[in-house]
Amino acid sequence: MSEASTYQDLRAHLATLRLGAAAEALPAELERARTEKLSHTAFAGSLLSIEVDATLARRQASLARFASL
């Protein structure tokens, strides 16, 4: 399997799981992992951290909208 094919599969998996922030950050995080020679675990942790931060921000925005009703 080529690197491009693996990349497209990974993007598709992230989209299927509705991990939009992680999918959006994927190219930059892959490049950062290459340049900083991050381990697979560090790369996955970084990508998931981005998604968690986005989820928490969406949750806070929803709570704020609900509170102003």
Side-chain angles (χ1 to χ4, degrees), residues 4-34:
S5 178
T6 302
Y7 173 80
Q8 291 302 323
D9 286 346
L10 181 54
R11 289 214 31 119
H13 292 322
L14 292 171
T16 299
L17 295 171
R18 297 182 183 177
L19 300 175
E24 186 177 314
L26 183 61
E29 287 301 303
L30 282 170
E31 185 59 33
R32 189 172 76 83
R34 263 190 217 116

Side-chain angles (χ1 to χ4, degrees), residues 9-68:
D9 286 346
L10 181 54
R11 289 214 31 119
H13 292 322
L14 292 171
T16 299
L17 295 171
R18 297 182 183 177
L19 300 175
E24 186 177 314
L26 183 61
E29 287 301 303
L30 282 170
E31 185 59 33
R32 189 172 76 83
R34 263 190 217 116
T35 59
E36 295 179 15
K37 298 183 177 168
L38 297 179
S39 69
H40 295 97
T41 305
F43 166 72
S46 176
L47 200 58
L48 289 173
S49 177
I50 290 167
E51 187 63 40
V52 167
D53 290 344
T55 299
L56 292 175
R58 284 191 305 271
R59 187 174 297 155
Q60 286 291 72
S62 293
L63 289 172
R65 279 193 309 273
F66 181 71
S68 68

